Structure formats: C-alpha cells, structure tokens
Amino acid sequence: IQPKLLSPNCKLSQTILQNKSMALKTLYDSTSFILSKLLNNPPNPPNHLSPPHILHENVNQLMEIMGVYDASLTPIEEREEEFKPILKTIIDTLVKICTLSATVLVGQAETAIYLSNCLALMKSSLVNYEFANKKAEELGEQIEVYLQTLVDEETSHIFIECKLADKFESLKNWIDSGKENPLSKLENMTNKQLQQSMRLFEQKLFDIGAIRLSTIDKLQAVRLKNLARKKVGQVITQSYNILYTEVFDPKNSYETPELILPYKPQQVENILKL
C-alpha cells in the first residue's frame, strides 16, 4: 500500500521502510540471543515425552508474532520473504534444542515419540499462516521420518516378544535365496517351533487389536497416534500374509498348517481394525 500512496523517494516513505527494517532486525537479533541461551542449556524431556514447557512458551510467542505479522497489509509474497529468515532461525533452532534435549532418552522409540511431539507442536503453530506453509511442510516431512522409526521399533519389539523376529528373518532370507528347500526344514521353522511362537503372537494380537500399544499412546497428536497404530497393523498383517501363504503351501511340508495359523489373513486384519 505504501508505494501506491507515497513516492518511494519521499522522506516519509524512506522512514517507514527504515523503521520496518530496524524492527525486523531487532526481532531477529533478540530472538537469536534468547534461543542461543537455550541451545547451551536444553531442557530435559518430561517423563511422558510431551514437549517441554519452554517449547510451549516459545511456540506461543512465535504465534503472537505471526498473528501481528499476518494482520499487516504487506502482500503475502513479501510477507513470506521478509519473515523467512526470522521463521527459519526460530524453528530450526527450536528443532536443534529438542534434538539435543532428546540425547538423554534411551532407545530410538522414545526419541522418535518425543521429537514427533515437539515437531507436531511447532507445526501446529504454523499451519494457519499462509506465509509459513513451506516451513510447516518441512516439519511434516521430519515428523514422517520419526513416525516410521517408531513404527519399525514397535513392530520389531512385538515380533521379539512373540519370538517371531528370527523366524521372519529366516523366512525373508529363505525367499531371497530362491526357496531351495521346504520351509519346515529350516532349523527354527519347524512345525512345533512355529506353533509355539504363533500362540504368543495370538495373545499379543488381541492386545494390538484393542489398541493397547503403550509406546505409541505417548504420541500426543491424535492423527499421528492413529496413523502409527495403522502402520504397525499393516506391517504385522503383511508379514502374517507372507507366512500364511508359505505355511499352507504343501511344498513346505507342514503337517498341520491350520493348527499353526488358525486365523486367516483377513481375520487378522479385522482384529487389527485396519
């Protein structure tokens, strides 16, 4: 609006532009200083792996700044370009602070949950501002990576508990090698061994079907929680489908396949509510 009403060379126009530039620089410098102190002393993750209080404070301050900036009459393209270095400094530094904070956690699953929660909080503060869309998309991509890590860790844990991890590994290697011998002839894939593991799997299956996944339940965003549960169920179902096909193949010499795997793949899907 200013260029349309005033000559860009008049003193008032130049003064307005100078004041605007100084205000943005002051905001950038003060924000950088505050966040640099946090970098040197990152907060400890709360026991429930939710975002720390200091992150909520900084995100709320960022939303106030963006709210003021969003109300300006500057065209959206100019707003995005002007605010880009400030937004990058704040969000990138907050991500670094959370990453440093997560170093005290034990295991990839806890780290993935904590960082997913922190990044989801940051992303939620950006989605209502068009000039922050690109940064919100970047955070979304990072969250997807952490979510996949969590899914991999959770499914691996389930398979280990059921004593199926080594069996699925043997199954994969057997398939990759061209299925040279009957599957039941492998050392850890006998009729008896597989049946014992599948009984443990059945017990766990109903826990998963009832959505009793304590690790995933620490995700705070409902959408992420539901997505992670669905992905865990899909991995389990896919693995079960492959095993079911091979166990019921007469070439693999299982005497009582129906006792080993009493549930059909579709039944497993139904239990997992996919």
Side-chain angles (χ1 to χ4, degrees), residues 28-39:
Y28 179 86
D29 291 343
S30 61
T31 301
S32 298
F33 176 74
I34 293 171
L35 292 178
S36 66
K37 293 174 68 175
L38 274 177
L39 266 177

Side-chain angles (χ1 to χ4, degrees), residues 256-274:
T256 54
E258 67 283 352
L259 294 180
I260 298 174
L261 302 174
Y263 295 102
K264 295 180 179 179
Q266 185 59 53
Q267 290 176 300
V268 172
E269 287 189 23
N270 292 338
I271 292 171
L272 293 174
K273 300 176 183 178
L274 295 179

Side-chain angles (χ1 to χ4, degrees), residues 49 99 102-103 105-116 146:
L49 302 179
T99 304
T103 57
L105 295 172
V106 179
Q108 293 186 21
E110 282 196 352
T111 300
I113 291 170
Y114 175 65
L115 291 177
S116 293
Y146 288 124

Side-chain angles (χ1 to χ4, degrees), residues 62-238:
L62 174 60
M63 291 178 69
E64 290 178 7
I65 294 169
M66 290 192 296
V68 172
Y69 206 73
D70 191 50
S72 73
L73 298 175
T74 307
I76 183 66
E77 294 81 6
E78 291 183 30
R79 261 183 286 172
E80 182 177 353
E81 193 59 32
E82 288 176 349
F83 201 67
K84 186 176 180 179
I86 297 173
L87 187 61
K88 177 177 173 55
T89 296
I90 294 175
I91 294 298
D92 288 1
T93 307
L94 287 176
V95 171
K96 288 180 182 177
I97 291 168
C98 293
T99 304
L100 288 172
S101 172
T103 57
V104 301
L105 295 172
V106 179
Q108 293 186 21
E110 282 196 352
T111 300
I113 291 170
Y114 175 65
L115 291 177
S116 293
N117 286 336
C118 291
L119 268 60
L121 175 64
M122 287 183 248
K123 183 186 175 186
S124 69
S125 71
L126 307 181
V127 292
N128 293 325
Y129 301 100
E130 191 175 349
F131 58 86
N133 280 351
K134 291 182 180 177
K135 203 62 183 175
E137 289 174 3
E138 288 180 20
L139 290 174
E141 291 172 357
Q142 294 179 57
I143 291 170
E144 287 181 8
V145 173
Y146 288 124
L147 200 64
Q148 188 57 52
T149 298
L150 175 58
V151 169
D152 292 342
E153 287 292 307
E154 186 70 8
T155 51
S156 175
H157 177 69
I158 290 170
F159 289 154
I160 289 172
E161 279 192 337
C162 301
K163 302 187 184 303
L164 280 172
D166 64 321
K167 291 173 175 55
F168 280 128
E169 183 66 25
S170 295
L171 176 62
K172 181 181 181 301
N173 293 335
W174 175 76
I175 293 173
D176 291 342
S177 65
K179 307 181 182 180
E180 293 181 1
N181 300 303
L183 183 61
S184 61
K185 302 304 179 185
L186 296 187
E187 185 177 349
N188 63 339
M189 298 293 286
T190 65
N191 200 92
K192 181 179 179 180
Q193 289 175 317
L194 203 51
Q195 191 168 342
Q196 290 173 343
S197 294
M198 293 315 298
R199 296 298 77 78
L200 294 174
F201 173 75
E202 287 171 24
Q203 296 171 16
K204 190 68 177 177
L205 182 63
F206 286 98
D207 280 346
I208 302 165
I211 314 299
R212 289 195 286 269
L213 295 172
S214 58
T215 305
I216 286 178
D217 282 342
K218 291 181 181 179
L219 285 170
Q220 294 204 315
V222 174
R223 186 189 70 82
L224 293 181
K225 191 181 299 185
N226 291 338
L227 182 58
R229 288 170 177 166
K230 182 176 181 179
K231 285 179 174 289
V232 168
Q234 287 173 337
V235 173
I236 291 172
T237 301
Q238 289 167 2

